[in-house]
Amino acid sequence: MDRKFIFVTGGVVSSLGKGISTSSIGALLRARAYSVTAVKIDPYINVDAGTMRPYEHGEVFVTKDGAETDLDIGTYERFLDIDLTKINNVTTGQVYQRVIQKERSGEYLSQTVQVIPHITDEIKNRIYQAGIDDNAQIVLVEVGGTVGDIESLPFLEAIRQIRFEVGKENSLFFHVTLLPYLETSEEYKTKPTQHSVVTLRSVGIQPDGIILRSKQLADESVCNKIALFTNVAKENVFTSYNADFVYAVPEILEQQGIGRLIEKSLGLESITPELQVWHNAIKTLREPKYQTDIVIVGKYIAMPDAYLSVMEALTHAGIANNAQVNINWIDAETLANGDTESLKEFSAILVPGGFGIRGIEGKIQAAKYARENKIPYLGLCLGLHVATIEFARNVAALKDANSTEFDPYTPEPVIDLMPEQLEVEDLGGTMRLGDWPMKITKTSKLAEIYSERLDKNNIVFERHRHRYEFNPKYVSILKKAGLKISGLTPGMEGRGEGLVEAIELENHPFFVALQSHPELTSRLMRPSPPFKSFIAASLARKND
Ligand code: GLN
């Protein structure tokens, strides 16, 4: 079969959940046993998402090959149950960087380098290459931003050209728009969608299907009206209405016949999708047997998207434990003075990744509270750093212990910059990124946690994104004081025992901190082991 391309554009407003629509289409195709990949186009000029503030842009997702990407890449991985790489996130910055590099090296010698064809060719190459690299029968391409934005124009032009090149039978356009509800007149308004499709048509793209984001399923009269004004058959107007769980969206779209449209338009045979895992997950989400209240002590708490993968991993872990995980948030700064009363009501504490000094003392207090009161604690990356500092200060009596990230002149740098980072000047793409191995100590909590995944050398891989590490000079001191080092990067023995990947406390029901970000590889069908055990521990505590 020829490779097929499905393009998803967005209109009216941003943050419509285009990523969820794209991922849901991908999930429905995977449920029909097609090999699928997905490309996210981000029209901003940053080369990647790594240098953007999580507060503004949400989480930076890291792929196994170490790309710092948009959080939609994480949604694709979770919904499609595949691993993606650098090639799957295309930005204006990358495209221009490459074209300018080629121009300087003389690859376009004697030509005038222009948006069309040079920039558009580079965009098309990347989309085609993703299909080849991932050996995909179907390539999904989501164009970030909103139709009408100046910066999306070259991308829209490129996808218009792809349809021309691969033909109508191998390409399909979906346009996702907002269908607002006016409370005063009690009606849904279709005009924004009409205008948005006009804008899309003005760049030569006629959508084949429309996905309306709205509160409720759009009724027939709304669909008729949209069909009339947009030239899209009314059965190809779908509603992605507000769902109780994002994992319900694939089925919501399937029920309205989106799969049938894709099959018919792309000449695919008609297949009943295998959606059992989704059904089971949703059933547990809707009727869980247990409940647990956990708290995330973070600094970007007004923007939960900054912790999207952590929240999803907790949800997956809840499903695996037949439990609803209620996620609560505490701003780390509010704990800094040592008043940890607000932590009392929760069955478990999670300290996620982060950068910079703000909120650090509060996170250290949270780790102390968890250690002293035997509350399950899961530390992720920075969560390992603060747990180490806390232990060093309050158990090993190194009262000035700190990380050089927060106090460059600390007399006890228990967390320090990795030697590899000393020479690093640029901030983009220069952390220790992507998959790295962790060798797990045999008799440890961590070995139990990962028991199903360990190979014969007791090694697992997790994704990373950090510059600082547990200072190897403090390993023996902190071990003597009772800290257990349960994971090390193998092959770094020149650095004392190696780079510390995990710590834990004995005589504690669950106190585990990892240098990695296991949340990034958690899937509905395969929850992350540390998360699964963390939730099990929180439930055990509740039933104590
Ligand atoms: N700021 C810390 C570092 O750079 C932790 C990073 C993180 O939590 N991802 O090492």
Side-chain angles (χ1 to χ4, degrees), residues 457-475:
N457 298 316
N458 272 354
I459 286 179
V460 292
F461 283 79
E462 289 288 6
R463 298 197 192 156
H464 292 70
R465 181 170 187 252
H466 64 121
R467 280 185 216 286
Y468 293 81
E469 64 169 333
F470 188 124
N471 187 342
K473 290 187 194 123
Y474 284 87
V475 167

Side-chain angles (χ1 to χ4, degrees), residues 15 53-61 71-72 75 78 296-315 326-331 350 352-353 358 380 519-520:
S15 303
R53 259 158 57 108
Y55 240 137
E56 220 172 276
H57 197 74
E59 161 187 278
V60 175
F61 189 82
L71 54 72
D72 280 325
T75 309
R78 286 186 285 271
I296 297 181
V297 178
K299 93 176 194 189
Y300 313 115
I301 63 163
M303 170 72 165
D305 264 4
Y307 303 110
L308 184 60
S309 293
V310 173
M311 296 194 302
E312 292 307 306
L314 288 168
T315 302
N326 302 319
I327 301 175
N328 302 274
W329 303 91
I330 288 187
D331 182 341
L350 188 150
R358 188 167 69 78
L380 307 170
E519 69 273 21
L520 300 179

